[in-house]
């Protein structure tokens, strides 16, 4: 009986078998009321259906929240501006979503006077880390319950448990894969993918056409950026959510955005993950191309280091950290001139840049041209090169080529050997 229960727990709820079984399981094991919480970050499914299922399963309350705009504006686009790709490949869809879900769960826990939060993550993934670290940072007083880490149920036992508790289980055959998705990407793991030598079968993909069966003529999209953020598509101003949806659709149709990644998890294992992220792939490439016009050489170089650090902290669950604030400050400053347009070509699985332009472009045709109108000072190159090479020349004379020693490098033995005066 609800009256006799000891407080409330807010459970991150997807409506799948595991989180459904958790509702009665937590009630029994912890003697607590369960409030389910479902966040829509895009591609979440029918929220009302999920809500009704939670109530039927025994939740005392079932809360849903559409957080798509928040997700894009405060998580996805900042990570895009940072250039954050984990290990140079994964655009971090799931990793960006977790801290937001966790933060909203803390808010829900406060609103419902809950004393605990719960999630359905396993004990060997990154997601448990992202959830727990966020809870522990924002609300250290809340107890964290992670039933999958505690119970020793197989899928069959979970089904049995569901039947015993009248939990509706969809008749669909269980996919051999473990899937997760939001607006910024879909991930697929397990099943035959666990052998990194096995080519992913077509059935593992859900968002993209295979490059082989993609249309024979390319699509072009023009993305408008303002201070590093996408603000328009093909000449029309557009909010982030519809812009990402549109790029996922057209990119997916052309087979763009498939990423096969053997990645290093935080918990010390390598796992083979198959991502589909058409919008993310197109936007990251477009953004980098615009930066190539708008950033100085030094800023561009340094930013690759920041991008890697930023991707690591997102992947590793440290979104709510001071280090993130520090990096975000650099990124924001670096983006103040990153405005303009990039035209991308989508064709048979590839996104390539077709053109880029910006009012802040540092590219100067007058300096770059080999044709008439060249304003580059060719004379000045001579003196510049004298001084540029002076240090190396001095070292060669004093150390490397001394006493007729040849200049040895792997594969080039005994080159040179004449000494001279610097
Ligand atoms: N490997 C990716 C990550 O760590 C995707 C995880 C997907 N999560 C899931 N529960 N299937 O971000």
């Amino acid at each position: 009986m609800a009256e006799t229960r000891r407080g409330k727990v807010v459970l991150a709820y997807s409506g799948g078998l595991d989180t459904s079984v958790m509702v009665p399981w937590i009630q029994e094991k912890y003697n607590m009321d369960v409030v389910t919480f479902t966040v829509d970050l895009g591609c979440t499914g029918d929220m009302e259906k999920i809500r009704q299922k939670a109530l039927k399963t025994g939740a005392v309350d079932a809360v849903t929240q559409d957080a798509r705009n928040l997700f894009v504006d405060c998580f996805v686009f900042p990570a895009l501006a940072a250039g954050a790709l984990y290990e140079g490949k994964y655009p971090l869809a799931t990793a960006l979503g977790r801290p937001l879900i966790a933060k909203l769960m803390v808010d829900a826990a406060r609103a419902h006077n809950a004393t605990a939060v719960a999630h359905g993550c396993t004990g060997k993934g990154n997601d448990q880390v992202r959830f727990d670290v966020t809870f522990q940072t924002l609300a250290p007083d809340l107890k964290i319950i992670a039933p999958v880490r505690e119970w020793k149920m197989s899928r069959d036992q979970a089904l049995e448990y569901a039947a015993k508790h009248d939990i509706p289980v969809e008749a669909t055959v269980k996919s051999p894969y473990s899937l997760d998705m939001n607006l910024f990407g879909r991930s697929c793991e397990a099943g035959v993918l666990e052998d990194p030598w096995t080519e992913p079968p077509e059935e593992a993909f859900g968002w993209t056409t295979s490059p082989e069966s993609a249309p024979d003529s390319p699509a072009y999209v023009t993305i408008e950026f303002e201070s590093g953020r996408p603000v328009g598509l093909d000449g029309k101003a557009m909010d982030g959510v519809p812009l990402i949806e549109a790029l996922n659709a057209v990119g997916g149709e052309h087979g763009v955005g498939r990423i096969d990644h053997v990645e290093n998890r935080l918990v010390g294992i390598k796992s083979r993950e198959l991502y589909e992220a058409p919008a993310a792939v197109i936007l990251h490439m477009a953004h980098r191309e615009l930066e190539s016009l708008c950033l100085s050489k030094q800023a561009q170089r340094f930013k690759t280091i920041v991008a890697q650090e930023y991707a690591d902290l997102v992947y590793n669950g440290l979104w709510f950290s001071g280090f993130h604030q520090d990096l975000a400050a650099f990124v924001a400053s670096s983006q103040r001139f990153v405005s303009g347009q990039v035209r991308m070509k989508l064709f048979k699985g590839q996104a390539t840049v077709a053109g880029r332009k910006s009012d802040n472009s540092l590219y100067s045709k007058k300096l770059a041209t080999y044709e008439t109108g060249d304003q580059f000072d060719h004379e000045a190159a001579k003196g510049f090169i004298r001084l540029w090479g002076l240090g190396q020349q001095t070292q060669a004379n004093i150390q490397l080529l001394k006493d007729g020693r040849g200049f040895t490098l792997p594969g080039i033995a005994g080159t040179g050997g004449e000494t001279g005066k610097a």
Side-chain angles (χ1 to χ4, degrees):
M1 278 291 95
E3 295 79 45
T4 67
R5 292 214 173 106
R6 291 177 294 131
K8 264 187 219 161
V9 47
V10 170
L11 165 69
Y13 182 76
S14 70
L17 175 65
D18 277 353
T19 53
S20 294
V21 164
M22 269 165 221
V23 177
W25 189 88
I26 291 173
Q27 284 167 355
E28 277 178 7
K29 170 102 198 270
Y30 289 92
N31 191 31
M32 292 176 92
D33 281 329
V34 177
V35 175
T36 63
F37 190 68
T38 311
V39 185
D40 185 3
L41 299 184
C43 319
T44 310
D46 183 338
M47 298 292 276
E48 186 47 31
K49 212 171 123 198
I50 296 174
R51 217 178 72 78
Q52 290 305 330
K53 181 168 179 185
L55 293 173
K56 247 183 265 156
T57 306
V60 293
D61 207 342
V63 183
T64 59
Q65 186 170 347
D66 179 352
R68 289 174 300 166
N69 287 321
L70 197 57
F71 181 49
V72 170
D73 293 341
C74 302
F75 290 74
V76 170
F77 281 175
L80 172 68
L85 292 170
Y86 184 62
E87 296 181 336
K89 292 177 96 170
Y90 167 39
L92 295 162
T94 296
L96 288 164
R98 297 312 187 200
L100 173 56
I101 296 172
K103 196 258 173 228
L104 296 175
M105 283 174 73
V106 168
D107 295 345
R110 298 306 185 212
H112 287 81
N113 277 322
T115 53
V117 281
H119 59 71
C121 303
T122 71
K124 64 194 288 188
N126 298 309
D127 288 328
Q128 53 169 349
V129 181
R130 299 165 184 152
F131 273 117
D132 291 7
V133 166
T134 304
F135 294 142
Q136 154 191 332
T137 304
L138 300 182
D141 57 300
L142 294 177
K143 179 182 167 62
I144 300 170
I145 302 174
V148 180
R149 279 197 306 230
E150 282 179 47
W151 73 30
K152 307 253 158 3
M153 266 192 268
S154 66
R155 182 173 161 82
D156 284 343
Q157 286 166 324
L159 284 168
E160 208 176 289
Y161 193 95
K164 212 172 81 197
H165 289 82
D166 286 325
I167 296 168
V169 177
E170 272 94 71
T172 53
V173 211
K174 156 122 171 110
S175 150
Y177 304 108
S178 163
L179 302 176
D180 189 61
M181 62 196 87
N182 62 41
L183 259 184
F184 211 45
R186 173 187 192 266
S187 76
C188 179
E189 58 187 285
V192 295
L193 299 173
E194 284 182 359
D195 179 354
W197 176 250
T198 300
E199 183 177 0
E202 267 318 298
E203 93 219 355
F205 297 96
W207 285 15
T208 53
T209 311
S210 74
E212 291 89 338
S213 42
D216 288 323
S217 43
Y220 286 87
V221 287
T222 300
I223 300 151
E224 167 108 34
F225 288 87
E226 226 171 79
S227 302
R229 284 181 175 246
V231 293
L233 189 62
D234 294 330
K236 275 193 311 241
M238 213 183 256
D239 284 339
V241 172
L243 186 145
I244 289 175
E245 284 170 344
L247 288 178
N248 276 334
V250 62
E253 194 190 322
H254 286 269
V256 168
R258 294 183 168 193
I259 301 161
D260 184 338
H261 188 183
V262 175
E263 77 190 29
N264 292 291
R265 281 195 193 165
L266 182 56
V267 294
I269 52 183
K270 288 185 187 285
S271 74
R272 200 270 190 99
E273 309 265 342
L274 197 60
Y275 297 108
E276 290 174 280
V281 165
I282 296 165
L283 287 172
H284 269 284
M285 189 180 292
H287 177 255
R288 222 179 307 122
E289 289 298 330
L290 189 58
E291 286 190 327
S292 74
L293 288 184
C294 302
L295 296 188
S296 69
K297 174 179 167 178
Q298 297 87 334
Q300 228 182 316
R301 299 289 164 96
F302 185 68
K303 199 162 168 285
T304 62
I305 300 170
V306 172
Q308 192 176 341
E309 291 294 327
Y310 196 104
D312 280 353
L313 82 82
V314 171
Y315 188 86
N316 295 334
L318 303 177
W319 183 266
F320 291 100
S321 61
F323 186 44
H324 179 193
Q325 295 179 313
D326 301 336
L327 294 187
F330 170 80
V331 172
S333 171
S334 75
Q335 298 299 295
R336 63 202 194 281
F337 300 115
V338 185
S339 302
Q341 294 177 7
V342 183
R343 192 158 173 262
M344 298 291 294
K345 177 178 181 170
L346 314 175
F347 184 56
K348 297 266 182 212
Q350 295 296 317
T352 48
V353 64
R356 51 313 239 169
K357 64 177 174 187
S358 167
D359 290 343
N360 304 326
S361 177
L362 301 174
Y363 177 89
S364 164
K365 177 116 195 276
K366 288 188 223 123
L367 292 177
T369 188
Y370 287 99
E371 292 166 15
T372 44
D374 180 9
Q375 291 182 2
F376 185 84
D377 184 352
H378 292 247
E379 267 306 301
K382 219 171 129 192
F384 163 74
I385 295 165
R386 276 297 301 143
L387 301 187
W388 169 248
L390 183 60
Q392 175 172 310
Q393 186 188 355
T394 305
Q395 185 189 27
N397 284 340
I398 295 171
Q399 302 174 343
L400 312 176
L401 298 177
K402 209 172 161 188
D403 307 328
R405 259 179 235 167
F407 196 101
T408 28
L409 271 178
I412 325 172
T415 313
E418 319 78 26
T419 43
K421 294 253 171 301

